[in-house]
Amino acid sequence: MSLMKNTLDILKSGSFDVAESDYKKCGYHLEVKLTESQVRDFAQAMLDCGFYIDFVSAVHVTPCFQVVYQFAHFDEACRINAKAMANAQGEIPTICDIYHGANWHERETHDFYGVVFTGHADLRTLLLSEEDADLKPLLKHADKLVNVETITRKSGGDAEMKPVKKTKEEQTAAE
Amino acid sequence: MSGYFRDIYTGGKSLLIGLGVTFKAIIKPVVTVQYPREKIDVTPNIRGHIELVRFDENDSRHNCLVCGMCAKNCPCGCLTVEGEKREGVKGKVLTVFDYDFTKCSLCGICVESCSRTALTFSSEYELAGFSRQEFHFDLIKRLEGK
Amino acid sequence: MSTMTKFETTDKHRFLLNMGPQHPATHGVLRVILEMDGEYAMGIDPVLGYGHRMQEKMAESRTWPGFYPNTGRMDYVGAMPFNHGYVALIERMAGIEVPERAEYIRVITSEMNRIASHLLGIGAYVLDLGAFTPILYAFDDREDILDALEDITGSRLTYCYYRVGGVLKDIDDTFIKRTRAFIENFRKRIPMYNDLVTGNVIFIKRTEGVGIITADMARRYGATGPTLRGSGIAYDIRKSEPYSVYSHFDFDIPTGKNGDSLDRYYVRICELEQSLRIIEQALDKLPDGPVLAKPKRAKLQEGDCSFSVETARGVLTYYLVGDGSEVPYKLKIRVPSYSNLSLLEEMCTGMLIADLVSAMGSLDLVIPEIDR
Ligand code: SF4
Ligand code: SF4
């Protein structure tokens, strides 16, 4: 646990908004909320603490994209989930010169969502073909798009899942 | 120079050990099966395509009450279930049970979601055809044909 | 997939070489554009996406049980851990308890699948290097596993066996007997692989010191699995963030020293034995009871949740964002080979092309998993 405490202290002293989270419920130990300008400093701090990069991805919400970074450590169980909102143009600084593995993850995120990672030297399509470069398949339709509040875990709220009401057919089937 | 001879020695030794393994395999019984001519027993639990279950051994009616749960839950959308109301019969009567095997991913969600266990996997694994249409099965016909 | 390469060569001694997408050494449809200087690869640009199916979009367009079959179709060689990660993710999100027997069965089948995957990986790797025989032995052993798994899961490759709340079907005595017989038989076969491959001089010369991955590189690229453990770091999700019932078993994490291709290969060989140990213990301790807690249909709660498992190739992370409906709002699938392959450029620049094939093969890539 010392590693987690250490990291927590380091991140706190770097004035990042970091909080411990319930691993049993959400699968990561620390949750960090970043602003767009903090992303690179945060990545550097992670590298200095010896974390490896798990993935970079994004979620399409209003007002803009939420970019998710996940890091974990080779020596101890400590998984860190960081979220940053991209700016109104859908831009966020790249971390691919700090964590080289982020290169492909960022290219993929650019493929799927159109998030622009400023400073990324090579945002060619990676998984989609070139003709589909403007497709952005994971963008939500307007009727499905929700606000970032909706997908944020309610702190201290009930974690129980609400059972879905049985449909009529199912009730007949159960009889 | 001594390294040269050592290389020859270790190389020769590893070669002989490897050949020894191969030689042992030569005198062992053959494990390959010449498939179309010989066949191995396939477990009855294999997941072949979906089919309707017989009511019981000597009754070739099916068990389905046309609730549509299987079609609704199928992630690949390959089941079409329709029924109609008939006079004198309680509930619905199954008229259409179409199954598109080309799209099926054999996940088993339909079998699981059927509360009447009216569906099961067949243990047929040798299916071949010349066109796609041959794999659009009419499961009611298939049940009657058995 | 980008048809444009990033290389703009003006040097007339350099030329571009396309490796793939149907090259046997790329194990599927991976294309690597190489900028060659004679026989040396001076620039490497992998081109992905030939087998891209947009699994993440599929996950967002159906209710969560509908994604079961897709999980087995990403890494078709080691599908069980992919199943496992997904059901465990939903279980974590919903707080569903799984009966202990089901967890044991999951561990047993996952480990058997891991052995099958490693056997294929080893066989195919040696095949890349020009030795044809070992893959035939490997397939012989793999066949036993597939037969045993077929008997309980119904499929041989793309399993869809785990369910939220347990597993679909209980294992029976035949399976247990069969598995025990396999373990006994396979223990005797492992030395044979060592004789045939590990000790072979040509094999050692082709792999020793080739494609070195350092711990720092692994960290920057997020390499995991045997690719990482070959570099001497004992990192395994089964130990560090034990999921399921892995904490009940006693097993080691084999590591290499130099981080070269030989070490990565040898880590896989050693993992075979560790998997056997886990299966043995699990069979001994197998508790009685139900195997499927009646799953309730449930909405995914609002918020995010992640779950990592150790697949045969490394860390698989599912990251799910729910918006309170039954359909996942977002599902990110972090696949191990994706990160492992991304370090190819740094690992192999300046290498002989024959060594590049050797180094790439030692990553044990499964391309449909990378492309998703
Ligand atoms: S097995 Fe799966 S894909 Fe096939 S019909 Fe049943 S639910 Fe649909
Ligand atoms: S779920 Fe069963 S009873 Fe309902 S329609 Fe399908 S086969 Fe018939």
Side-chain angles (χ1 to χ4, degrees), chain C residues 11 204 222 237 355 361:
Chain C
D11 186 347
I204 294 174
I237 293 277
D355 285 346

Side-chain angles (χ1 to χ4, degrees), chain A residues 5-22:
Chain A
K5 284 270 167 311
N6 272 348
T7 319
L8 198 62
D9 291 343
I10 291 172
L11 288 179
K12 272 200 180 131
S13 65
S15 70
F16 296 107
D17 178 7
V18 51
E20 278 185 63
S21 49
D22 185 359

Side-chain angles (χ1 to χ4, degrees), chain A residues 23 26-28 52 54 57 60 83 100-101 104 108 113 124-126 128 130 140 153 161 170, chain C residues 1-4 57 92 94 219-220 235 240-241 297-299 304 306 317 329-330 334 338 372:
Chain A
Y23 180 79
C26 48
Y28 44 82
Y52 77 87
D54 206 39
S57 190
H60 187 203
K83 292 171 192 158
H100 295 87
W104 281 15
E108 181 194 308
Y113 292 93
R124 287 175 302 151
T125 54
L126 182 65
L128 298 184
E130 248 159 24
K140 296 270 177 194
R153 188 176 287 270
M161 284 168 64
E170 270 178 301
Chain C
M1 185 186 347
S2 173
T3 43
M4 240 137 40
K57 182 80 187 173
R92 175 172 280 172
R219 202 166 281 132
R220 278 186 286 113
Y235 177 67
S240 75
E241 296 172 41
R297 267 181 71 200
K299 287 185 179 178
D304 57 347
S306 102
T317 304
Y329 190 72
K330 186 216 158 55
R334 184 263 192 216
Y338 191 77
R372 278 163 291 146

Side-chain angles (χ1 to χ4, degrees), chain C residues 50-61:
Chain C
Y50 287 90
H52 180 53
R53 289 153 290 170
M54 202 68 242
Q55 300 278 13
E56 291 168 20
K57 182 80 187 173
M58 282 191 238
E60 286 175 18
S61 49

Side-chain angles (χ1 to χ4, degrees), chain B residues 62-123:
Chain B
H62 55 75
N63 225 342
C64 172
L65 54 75
V66 208
C67 67
M69 279 319 288
C70 49
K72 185 163 166 257
N73 284 341
C74 171
C76 310
C78 46
L79 295 172
T80 317
V81 184
E82 278 167 29
E84 60 180 26
K85 274 263 178 221
R86 279 208 197 128
E87 212 136 310
V89 190
K90 205 169 147 256
K92 279 182 181 171
V93 179
L94 185 67
T95 50
V96 180
F97 204 117
D98 278 345
Y99 168 50
D100 182 357
F101 187 45
T102 55
K103 284 201 228 152
C104 174
S105 56
L106 298 173
C107 58
I109 292 176
C110 53
V111 175
E112 231 183 315
S113 59
C114 182
S115 55
R116 299 281 297 246
T117 49
L119 282 177
T120 185
F121 294 107
S122 72
S123 48

